[in-house]
Amino acid sequence: MAAVTMRLGEIGQQLRAFRLESGMRADEIAARLGVSRAALYRYEKGEVIKLDTVQRLAELLKVSPLTLLGIGVEYYSRPLSFFERVRQMEEEADQILQIADPVAYLVTSDAYDSVLTRAIAEQTDDQQLVEQHVAIMASRKELYRQRRPTMITMLSEAAVERFLVRGVGEGMAMDESLQTEARRVAAQEIANIIEMIEAEPIGLQFSLLGDVDSSTNCMLLRGRERMMLAINPFRCDAFPAATTGVSLVTSAPEAVNAHQRVIEVLWKESLKGREAAERLHDLLARHGLR
């Protein structure tokens, strides 16, 4: 019975993520499924969903029923829906292994979120999009603070250097004052990472990939029941409605195991501890930010 309940909960999680991905309103999806909006929200909370409704939902969202049942691969073409799915997985993760952006989002500062939100707001008049982004990302950080899963993060040296040059929200048009602030905050985030490396907090580790620039950003999230893999072309400071790549989520053992082996090799070869901190100090100094 517990396994059935968990499966329903995961279908509900995917339903919410797919709703964000589609951009459709809840009442529109409910109408196409032939259910009430209240029923749709109940499904998202993990209540019983009929198999014929699963079939209609799969047809509507152009995915296979197996994907909704957690057997296939989930695809997301917008950062907003992908980060909502990641939030759901982080809610149950005890360990996170990741090859990440120039930062590890869950331990970034409030200043990072403030600059990013302002940059996003300058790109769109869609206030709902901005609010959804803020809510999802804030929830991810709050979950991390409450649960404190073990987190191991590998950063690309080349990505860090670009981050210092271009600032938070790379690729988004900003006025000059916000661009200056975005660069200042980027430098502070790297300084914060150096402090965390030197402090060696329990359950939080960083390393630096000095000669690797082409590794795909990915996350392995280990929970009590299984391990999930998320492969993501989007940085955490991407515009939430961007459609310039496709993210995927799967628990397929062959995919999980292959990426775990790569991550373990890269971790072994990466710079850690004092070496990583000194290299990051050098990058700050190179750009006059130390």
Side-chain angles (χ1 to χ4, degrees):
M1 181 63 69
V4 172
T5 301
M6 182 191 71
R7 182 71 260 143
L8 290 171
E10 291 182 2
I11 292 174
Q13 290 175 348
Q14 292 182 57
L15 174 55
R16 172 173 165 75
F18 283 131
R19 176 162 62 85
L20 292 174
E21 172 76 4
S22 71
M24 291 188 287
R25 299 187 309 274
D27 54 356
E28 183 180 358
I29 291 179
R32 294 192 183 190
L33 291 177
V35 301
S36 67
R37 186 168 63 176
L40 180 70
Y41 289 140
R42 288 199 302 272
Y43 296 157
E44 289 188 359
K45 292 179 181 178
E47 295 188 15
V48 174
I49 180 171
K50 296 179 181 179
L51 287 177
D52 61 338
T53 304
V54 171
Q55 179 65 43
R56 289 198 298 272
L57 178 62
E59 293 172 356
L60 173 65
L61 299 177
K62 299 180 181 179
V63 299
S64 74
L66 291 179
T67 295
L68 284 180
L69 293 172
I71 300 171
V73 180
E74 307 165 36
Y75 297 98
Y76 300 94
S77 61
R78 300 194 330 155
L80 184 72
S81 50
F82 173 75
F83 289 132
E84 164 61 17
R85 188 68 179 103
V86 168
R87 183 198 67 77
Q88 296 164 359
M89 293 186 292
E90 288 169 344
E91 194 170 17
E92 300 176 356
D94 298 316
Q95 182 186 57
I96 300 171
L97 309 173
Q98 58 186 340
I99 300 174
D101 296 323
V103 294
Y105 176 73
L106 295 179
V107 292
T108 53
S109 68
D110 291 342
Y112 180 97
D113 289 307
S114 176
V115 167
L116 180 56
T117 301
R118 288 163 59 193
I120 293 170
E122 286 191 2
Q123 309 301 303
T124 181
D125 295 326
D126 187 345
Q127 185 60 31
Q128 183 179 10
L129 177 69
V130 178
E131 291 174 355
Q132 286 178 327
H133 167 83
V134 170
I136 289 170
M137 302 307 259
S139 179
R140 289 182 62 195
K141 282 190 173 179
E142 181 59 27
L143 281 169
Y144 175 76
R145 284 191 288 265
Q146 291 175 359
R147 303 187 68 255
R148 291 291 177 181
T150 299
M151 185 161 67
I152 296 174
T153 303
M154 284 172 278
L155 306 175
S156 160
E157 181 177 336
V160 169
E161 188 152 24
R162 285 197 303 271
F163 184 56
L164 292 174
V165 172
R166 301 174 185 177
V168 179
E170 176 184 342
M172 285 191 269
M174 305 179 200
D175 63 40
E176 186 175 348
S177 64
L178 184 55
Q179 182 67 73
T180 299
E181 179 69 4
R183 292 194 184 101
R184 186 195 68 78
V185 170
Q188 186 57 55
E189 292 302 327
I190 299 305
N192 292 344
I193 289 174
I194 293 172
E195 290 181 4
M196 285 184 276
I197 291 173
E198 294 175 338
E200 298 182 336
I202 296 173
L204 180 61
Q205 293 178 277
F206 286 90
S207 74
L208 193 62
L209 298 168
D211 299 322
V212 179
D213 187 34
S214 59
S215 294
T216 302
N217 283 4
C218 65
M219 302 175 68
L220 285 172
L221 301 101
R222 188 193 303 275
R224 289 185 298 275
E225 301 292 335
R226 59 178 174 167
M227 185 178 283
M228 300 288 291
L229 167 67
I231 298 177
N232 176 34
F234 303 114
R235 283 179 30 162
C236 57
D237 58 353
F239 182 65
T243 54
T244 55
V246 177
S247 304
L248 67 85
V249 173
T250 184
S251 61
E254 59 273 21
V256 169
N257 293 338
H259 282 79
Q260 185 171 8
R261 288 193 295 270
V262 170
I263 286 176
E264 288 172 352
V265 170
L266 289 174
W267 173 257
K268 187 177 298 184
E269 297 177 350
S270 61
L271 298 179
K272 307 173 194 67
R274 179 178 299 177
E275 285 186 308
E278 289 178 351
R279 184 68 64 86
L280 291 173
H281 271 302
D282 289 344
L283 290 176
L284 286 173
R286 185 184 305 170
H287 295 283
L289 300 168
R290 189 168 178 174

